[in-house]
Amino acid sequence: MTAKTAQPMVKAEGVHKSYGAAHILRGIDLEVAPREVFCLVGPSGSGKSTFLRCINHLERINAGRLSVDGQLVGYKQKGDKLYELKDSEVAAQRRDIGMVFQRFNLFPHMTAIENVMEAPVMVKGESKAVARERAVKLLDRVGLGDKGGNYPTQLSGGQQQRVAIARALAMEPKLMLFDEPTSALDPELVGDVLDVMRDLAESGMTMIVVTHEMGFAREVGDNLVFMDGGVVVESGHPRDVLGNPQHDRTKAFLSKVL
Amino acid sequence: MTDKIDKGPADATPPAGPGASGTTPYEAIKAIPVRHYGRWISAVVVAVLLGWLVYAFSQGKIIWATVGDKLFDPSVLAGLGNTVIISITSMALGLVLGILFAVMRLSKNPVTSFVSWLYIWFFRGTPVYVQLLVWFSLPLIFEYINLGPIYKNETVDVMTPFMVALLGLGLNEGAYMAEIVRAGIQSVDEGQTEASHALGMTQTQTMRRVVLPQAMRVIIPPTGNEFINMLKTSSLVSAVQYTELLRASSNIGSTAGAVMEMFFVASIWYLALTSVFSVGQYYLERRYARGAQRTLPPTPFERLKANLNMFRRTEVSR
């Protein structure tokens, strides 16, 4: 199912990232194919969220190559020299990459529908009418058609996260990044968010999901990477990695979370 | 344990429990409320002190009729208007400069950041009175204001008392506002900036659409405070020949031999101004609290009504 013939959506080669003395990513190599649901699991501090944030250049990598849809992230290459991209060019790259955060990060001074309309209007210069029409559809799709007028504080965590997904989808991205999207939710609200994500996966969206929801990974994921200490320890189909882990670290981790 | 996905579609609406629809009637507790004797005693003490103060002033050598007569004197009212004008324009200038220099201060560009630091350092570090006098004496340094082919004029003609007052108060205020705005910007959660950037918004769009509107909630209360301060600080500009409320009042006071009376006239107007603008500030704060709280706090009128109801309830229970 993960035909590597097509150009990979995300390609990482020897990606390193450190914050001062803290060496978080120690050489990550991986490929994410288009239309694939790619799960990143591992203990906290393993670098999986950091790697995710590198993909849309919220963090700058220190070494290696990282490209999305054939384009280097944050740099451009002319000859054999790399040039840093200007802020506006970085912003343009991010348009096509949606991101969903653990803490939702909805804009609290805007209603749900205004949150969804904001980027298409500001970034793409879409008219408000067009943006509103799409926002209504997207909110409907995530099951919140009647909550458009609510401010984020008037919504439950699960509802906020679904608005956040709709907000990211409003830019019609080719890649969606999920950074532990259900970790801040009450257990009973997790299902709604996962349902929306499963629906999105079925529609063919390329998704990279940092998660602790092993059930979701097993059922929806096409590929799974187990990270620890800033390196990829083990990867493969979720069923295989979760059902029959080869490495001791993977086994130890899974025995705690499963 | 984490296999949430295996369960059926979660029901978003919780099952209606007892009392979910309509309220079951209940018998309210009848108890004797706590008696606040301290409040009554302190109220009496305050009333006596106030009464004594009023008596002392009424016995002083003040012709109170003059205060009433001159309260609406045309030149006092003109001074009042000038006070309002110079306060609002200076505050507007200060706010614009404040936002500009706050953003510059937080800029990644070291030159802009330093320029902003220098501005704040100078204008916050010297007394506003001295700054006003320097602006007043500016023609001594720059005889002409020369913008090449666009504009040229003698500085004396440009620096009217109003311009001196505006620049003096506005630039001073800008330095304070810059620090207030900076604190507001820094109070906004970093996740907001990240979410905005992740959507493809530029630095400028993020600042204007996401960060500043949220910073306003933190910025407005101290800004209201600054404005109230400005209304009173504007009395200093009488030193640079601008006829605002205090100068207009004391002009009358010295010619009519009613110095103390005219100070009262000025004080009454200053109090009136600050009161009016305090109310305005309150409603502005409510507007920017949107989305920060589930329900807005009650307005003073709503609170007054609630307090009156409370009194009624206490009486009923007695």
Side-chain angles (χ1 to χ4, degrees), chain B residues 57-315:
Chain B
F57 270 90
S58 67
Q59 294 304 299
K61 282 185 187 163
I62 295 164
I63 305 152
W64 289 102
T66 317
V67 176
D69 287 346
K70 298 289 180 192
L71 196 59
F72 295 100
D73 188 286
S75 56
V76 169
L77 292 183
L80 177 71
N82 280 343
T83 288
V84 172
I85 289 168
I86 194 65
S87 299
I88 290 179
T89 49
S90 304
M91 196 65 203
L93 179 62
L95 192 63
V96 171
L97 290 175
I99 293 174
L100 181 72
F101 281 101
V103 172
M104 283 171 65
R105 185 89 181 86
L106 296 170
S107 162
K108 279 182 278 184
N109 181 338
V111 180
T112 9
S113 179
F114 173 73
V115 168
S116 170
W117 176 87
L118 193 69
Y119 166 79
I120 295 169
W121 174 75
F122 181 79
F123 282 95
R124 223 166 48 139
T126 53
V128 63
Y129 189 62
V130 177
Q131 286 170 32
L132 280 165
L133 294 177
V134 169
W135 285 111
F136 189 60
S137 322
L138 202 66
L140 297 179
I141 307 167
F142 302 105
E143 204 175 333
Y144 294 99
I145 292 177
N146 190 348
L147 299 178
I150 312 163
Y151 183 84
K152 185 176 178 182
N153 204 343
E154 280 190 54
T155 307
V156 192
D157 292 341
V158 181
M159 296 307 272
T160 59
F162 175 77
M163 280 304 286
V164 171
L166 175 64
L167 288 172
L169 292 178
L171 270 92
N172 183 261
E173 188 56 39
Y176 284 93
M177 283 310 300
E179 290 294 276
I180 291 172
V181 173
R182 183 173 66 95
I185 289 173
Q186 285 176 329
S187 77
V188 177
D189 180 30
E190 211 180 334
Q192 292 291 312
T193 317
E194 286 185 354
S196 175
H197 283 164
L199 285 166
M201 309 239 280
T202 62
Q203 302 272 15
T204 320
Q205 286 171 332
T206 301
M207 184 56 75
R208 194 165 60 82
R209 297 287 302 175
V210 176
V211 177
L212 277 180
Q214 293 184 62
M216 285 310 268
R217 201 162 49 83
V218 176
I219 292 171
I220 293 218
T223 302
N225 205 22
E226 286 295 308
F227 185 69
I228 303 278
N229 237 332
M230 176 66 86
L231 283 168
K232 297 175 294 168
T233 310
S234 69
S235 62
L236 287 180
V237 303
S238 56
V240 293
Q241 308 302 322
Y242 187 70
T243 316
E244 42 63 68
L245 179 57
L246 181 65
R247 191 178 175 87
S249 304
S250 56
N251 280 350
I252 299 177
S254 47
T255 48
V259 177
M260 195 67 176
E261 285 80 356
M262 289 319 288
F263 286 154
F264 273 106
V265 168
S267 299
I268 288 168
W269 279 119
Y270 279 120
L271 270 176
L273 284 180
T274 50
S275 307
V276 167
F277 284 105
S278 302
V279 173
Q281 178 192 357
Y282 179 82
Y283 282 94
L284 204 61
E285 277 173 34
R286 270 174 69 87
R287 169 149 167 39
Y288 279 98
R290 260 184 334 174
Q293 287 148 319
R294 266 165 222 254
T295 50
L296 289 172
T299 63
F301 291 115
E302 287 164 354
R303 221 175 327 159
L304 189 67
K305 237 167 78 180
N307 277 339
L308 289 176
N309 282 341
M310 189 189 72
F311 271 117
R312 214 177 311 152
R313 217 173 19 233
T314 334
E315 275 158 23

Side-chain angles (χ1 to χ4, degrees), chain B residues 40-56:
Chain B
W40 291 103
I41 296 168
S42 54
V44 169
V45 171
V46 169
V48 166
L49 283 174
L50 277 178
W52 172 78
L53 202 61
V54 168
Y55 176 77

Side-chain angles (χ1 to χ4, degrees), chain A residues 19-57:
Chain A
Y19 299 97
H23 198 170
I24 307 295
L25 298 179
R26 298 161 180 265
I28 303 282
D29 296 282
L30 54 79
E31 272 185 29
V32 180
R35 304 176 70 80
E36 187 176 42
V37 176
F38 193 97
C39 298
L40 285 170
V41 301
S44 59
S46 60
K48 51 198 193 313
S49 286
T50 304
F51 178 67
L52 199 70
R53 294 161 58 83
C54 288
I55 295 175
N56 68 351
H57 209 249

Side-chain angles (χ1 to χ4, degrees), chain A residues 37-41 48-49 52 98-105 156-166 168 176-187 189-198 200 207-214 216-217:
Chain A
V37 176
F38 193 97
C39 298
L40 285 170
V41 301
K48 51 198 193 313
S49 286
L52 199 70
M99 184 159 190
V100 175
F101 298 85
Q102 183 178 355
R103 306 280 331 163
F104 328 135
N105 294 351
S156 75
Q159 291 171 333
Q160 288 189 50
Q161 193 60 298
R162 284 183 281 155
V163 173
I165 294 173
M176 283 284 284
L177 310 174
F178 291 86
D179 187 4
E180 301 197 27
T182 57
S183 297
L185 296 178
D186 288 343
L189 302 175
V190 169
D192 294 339
V193 172
L194 292 182
D195 285 344
V196 168
M197 289 169 63
R198 183 175 9 206
L200 194 58
M207 296 162 63
I208 303 181
V209 186
V210 172
T211 187
H212 294 297
E213 296 290 336
M214 298 306 159
F216 174 84

